[in-house]
PDB file of all heavy atoms in Angstrom:
ATOM      1  N   GLY A 327      -2.786 -24.714 -82.259  1.00 95.00           N
ATOM      2  CA  GLY A 327      -2.787 -23.314 -81.970  1.00 95.00           C
ATOM      3  C   GLY A 327      -2.393 -23.059 -80.514  1.00 95.00           C
ATOM      4  O   GLY A 327      -1.619 -22.159 -80.174  1.00 95.00           O
ATOM      5  N   LEU A 328      -2.965 -23.863 -79.604  1.00 95.00           N
ATOM      6  CA  LEU A 328      -2.645 -23.713 -78.155  1.00 95.00           C
ATOM      7  C   LEU A 328      -1.181 -24.013 -77.869  1.00 95.00           C
ATOM      8  O   LEU A 328      -0.495 -23.328 -77.077  1.00 95.00           O
ATOM      9  CB  LEU A 328      -3.512 -24.627 -77.324  1.00 95.00           C
ATOM     10  CG  LEU A 328      -4.995 -24.213 -77.265  1.00 95.00           C
ATOM     11  CD1 LEU A 328      -5.789 -25.273 -76.509  1.00 95.00           C
ATOM     12  CD2 LEU A 328      -5.176 -22.855 -76.560  1.00 95.00           C
ATOM     13  N   ASN A 329      -0.680 -25.031 -78.575  1.00 96.00           N
ATOM     14  CA  ASN A 329       0.794 -25.364 -78.396  1.00 96.00           C
ATOM     15  C   ASN A 329       1.687 -24.217 -78.884  1.00 96.00           C
ATOM     16  O   ASN A 329       2.683 -23.934 -78.306  1.00 96.00           O
ATOM     17  CB  ASN A 329       1.140 -26.653 -79.131  1.00 96.00           C
ATOM     18  CG  ASN A 329       0.670 -27.888 -78.332  1.00 96.00           C
ATOM     19  OD1 ASN A 329       0.576 -27.806 -77.108  1.00 96.00           O
ATOM     20  ND2 ASN A 329       0.461 -28.973 -78.992  1.00 96.00           N
ATOM     21  N   PHE A 330       1.243 -23.590 -79.988  1.00 97.00           N
ATOM     22  CA  PHE A 330       2.041 -22.457 -80.476  1.00 97.00           C
ATOM     23  C   PHE A 330       2.030 -21.327 -79.422  1.00 97.00           C
ATOM     24  O   PHE A 330       3.077 -20.716 -79.126  1.00 97.00           O
ATOM     25  CB  PHE A 330       1.494 -21.983 -81.802  1.00 97.00           C
ATOM     26  CG  PHE A 330       2.220 -20.799 -82.338  1.00 97.00           C
ATOM     27  CD1 PHE A 330       3.586 -20.898 -82.702  1.00 97.00           C
ATOM     28  CD2 PHE A 330       1.617 -19.547 -82.532  1.00 97.00           C
ATOM     29  CE1 PHE A 330       4.285 -19.791 -83.156  1.00 97.00           C
ATOM     30  CE2 PHE A 330       2.301 -18.445 -83.018  1.00 97.00           C
ATOM     31  CZ  PHE A 330       3.653 -18.561 -83.320  1.00 97.00           C
ATOM     32  N   HIS A 331       0.872 -21.044 -78.871  1.00 98.00           N
ATOM     33  CA  HIS A 331       0.803 -19.996 -77.828  1.00 98.00           C
ATOM     34  C   HIS A 331       1.692 -20.339 -76.632  1.00 98.00           C
ATOM     35  O   HIS A 331       2.334 -19.458 -76.032  1.00 98.00           O
ATOM     36  CB  HIS A 331      -0.644 -19.732 -77.396  1.00 98.00           C
ATOM     37  CG  HIS A 331      -1.400 -18.925 -78.361  1.00 98.00           C
ATOM     38  ND1 HIS A 331      -1.864 -19.354 -79.571  1.00 98.00           N
ATOM     39  CD2 HIS A 331      -1.835 -17.619 -78.278  1.00 98.00           C
ATOM     40  CE1 HIS A 331      -2.520 -18.374 -80.204  1.00 98.00           C
ATOM     41  NE2 HIS A 331      -2.504 -17.337 -79.458  1.00 98.00           N
ATOM     42  N   LEU A 332       1.750 -21.617 -76.297  1.00 97.00           N
ATOM     43  CA  LEU A 332       2.557 -22.052 -75.174  1.00 97.00           C
ATOM     44  C   LEU A 332       4.037 -21.787 -75.461  1.00 97.00           C
ATOM     45  O   LEU A 332       4.826 -21.313 -74.663  1.00 97.00           O
ATOM     46  CB  LEU A 332       2.299 -23.569 -74.934  1.00 97.00           C
ATOM     47  CG  LEU A 332       2.956 -24.178 -73.771  1.00 97.00           C
ATOM     48  CD1 LEU A 332       2.327 -23.660 -72.457  1.00 97.00           C
ATOM     49  CD2 LEU A 332       2.792 -25.724 -73.794  1.00 97.00           C
ATOM     50  N   LEU A 333       4.402 -22.109 -76.755  1.00 98.00           N
ATOM     51  CA  LEU A 333       5.828 -21.935 -77.108  1.00 98.00           C
ATOM     52  C   LEU A 333       6.199 -20.427 -77.162  1.00 98.00           C
ATOM     53  O   LEU A 333       7.284 -20.048 -76.764  1.00 98.00           O
ATOM     54  CB  LEU A 333       6.086 -22.626 -78.487  1.00 98.00           C
ATOM     55  CG  LEU A 333       6.044 -24.161 -78.439  1.00 98.00           C
ATOM     56  CD1 LEU A 333       5.848 -24.694 -79.835  1.00 98.00           C
ATOM     57  CD2 LEU A 333       7.357 -24.662 -77.865  1.00 98.00           C
ATOM     58  N   CYS A 334       5.227 -19.655 -77.597  1.00 98.00           N
ATOM     59  CA  CYS A 334       5.482 -18.162 -77.658  1.00 98.00           C
ATOM     60  C   CYS A 334       5.718 -17.705 -76.217  1.00 98.00           C
ATOM     61  O   CYS A 334       6.622 -16.924 -75.969  1.00 98.00           O
ATOM     62  CB  CYS A 334       4.247 -17.439 -78.161  1.00 98.00           C
ATOM     63  SG  CYS A 334       3.922 -17.761 -79.906  1.00 98.00           S
ATOM     64  N   ASN A 335       4.862 -18.137 -75.284  1.00 98.00           N
ATOM     65  CA  ASN A 335       5.018 -17.696 -73.891  1.00 98.00           C
ATOM     66  C   ASN A 335       6.403 -18.135 -73.360  1.00 98.00           C
ATOM     67  O   ASN A 335       7.062 -17.350 -72.722  1.00 98.00           O
ATOM     68  CB  ASN A 335       3.902 -18.326 -73.041  1.00 98.00           C
ATOM     69  CG  ASN A 335       3.825 -17.788 -71.680  1.00 98.00           C
ATOM     70  OD1 ASN A 335       4.189 -16.622 -71.454  1.00 98.00           O
ATOM     71  ND2 ASN A 335       3.363 -18.553 -70.714  1.00 98.00           N
ATOM     72  N   ARG A 336       6.822 -19.372 -73.648  1.00 98.00           N
ATOM     73  CA  ARG A 336       8.107 -19.808 -73.218  1.00 98.00           C
ATOM     74  C   ARG A 336       9.242 -18.967 -73.762  1.00 98.00           C
ATOM     75  O   ARG A 336      10.171 -18.596 -73.059  1.00 98.00           O
ATOM     76  CB  ARG A 336       8.339 -21.288 -73.636  1.00 98.00           C
ATOM     77  CG  ARG A 336       7.526 -22.254 -72.793  1.00 98.00           C
ATOM     78  CD  ARG A 336       7.844 -23.642 -73.203  1.00 98.00           C
ATOM     79  NE  ARG A 336       6.973 -24.595 -72.439  1.00 98.00           N
ATOM     80  CZ  ARG A 336       6.788 -25.845 -72.736  1.00 98.00           C
ATOM     81  NH1 ARG A 336       7.391 -26.357 -73.817  1.00 98.00           N
ATOM     82  NH2 ARG A 336       6.018 -26.576 -72.036  1.00 98.00           N
ATOM     83  N   TYR A 337       9.088 -18.614 -75.046  1.00 98.00           N
ATOM     84  CA  TYR A 337      10.113 -17.815 -75.718  1.00 98.00           C
ATOM     85  C   TYR A 337      10.293 -16.477 -75.004  1.00 98.00           C
ATOM     86  O   TYR A 337      11.390 -16.061 -74.664  1.00 98.00           O
ATOM     87  CB  TYR A 337       9.737 -17.634 -77.152  1.00 98.00           C
ATOM     88  CG  TYR A 337      10.569 -16.639 -77.927  1.00 98.00           C
ATOM     89  CD1 TYR A 337      11.945 -16.789 -78.057  1.00 98.00           C
ATOM     90  CD2 TYR A 337       9.963 -15.522 -78.580  1.00 98.00           C
ATOM     91  CE1 TYR A 337      12.716 -15.832 -78.781  1.00 98.00           C
ATOM     92  CE2 TYR A 337      10.707 -14.604 -79.278  1.00 98.00           C
ATOM     93  CZ  TYR A 337      12.096 -14.756 -79.383  1.00 98.00           C
ATOM     94  OH  TYR A 337      12.789 -13.845 -80.089  1.00 98.00           O
ATOM     95  N   PHE A 338       9.141 -15.790 -74.712  1.00 98.00           N
ATOM     96  CA  PHE A 338       9.253 -14.478 -74.117  1.00 98.00           C
ATOM     97  C   PHE A 338       9.611 -14.570 -72.604  1.00 98.00           C
ATOM     98  O   PHE A 338      10.085 -13.566 -72.063  1.00 98.00           O
ATOM     99  CB  PHE A 338       7.914 -13.713 -74.335  1.00 98.00           C
ATOM    100  CG  PHE A 338       7.750 -13.395 -75.750  1.00 98.00           C
ATOM    101  CD1 PHE A 338       6.686 -13.979 -76.497  1.00 98.00           C
ATOM    102  CD2 PHE A 338       8.583 -12.513 -76.454  1.00 98.00           C
ATOM    103  CE1 PHE A 338       6.527 -13.730 -77.815  1.00 98.00           C
ATOM    104  CE2 PHE A 338       8.432 -12.263 -77.808  1.00 98.00           C
ATOM    105  CZ  PHE A 338       7.395 -12.866 -78.490  1.00 98.00           C
ATOM    106  N   LEU A 339       9.441 -15.702 -72.017  1.00 97.00           N
ATOM    107  CA  LEU A 339       9.853 -15.882 -70.640  1.00 97.00           C
ATOM    108  C   LEU A 339      11.305 -16.381 -70.549  1.00 97.00           C
ATOM    109  O   LEU A 339      11.826 -16.538 -69.447  1.00 97.00           O
ATOM    110  CB  LEU A 339       8.973 -16.908 -69.900  1.00 97.00           C
ATOM    111  CG  LEU A 339       7.541 -16.451 -69.654  1.00 97.00           C
ATOM    112  CD1 LEU A 339       6.685 -17.611 -69.032  1.00 97.00           C
ATOM    113  CD2 LEU A 339       7.428 -15.233 -68.763  1.00 97.00           C
ATOM    114  N   GLY A 340      11.907 -16.631 -71.716  1.00 96.00           N
ATOM    115  CA  GLY A 340      13.265 -17.093 -71.711  1.00 96.00           C
ATOM    116  C   GLY A 340      13.454 -18.536 -71.409  1.00 96.00           C
ATOM    117  O   GLY A 340      14.475 -19.009 -70.987  1.00 96.00           O
TER     118      GLY A 340
END
Side-chain angles (χ1 to χ4, degrees):
L328 289 174
N329 280 336
F330 178 63
H331 280 74
L332 186 69
L333 290 162
C334 293
N335 192 27
R336 286 185 184 163
Y337 170 59
F338 294 111
L339 292 176

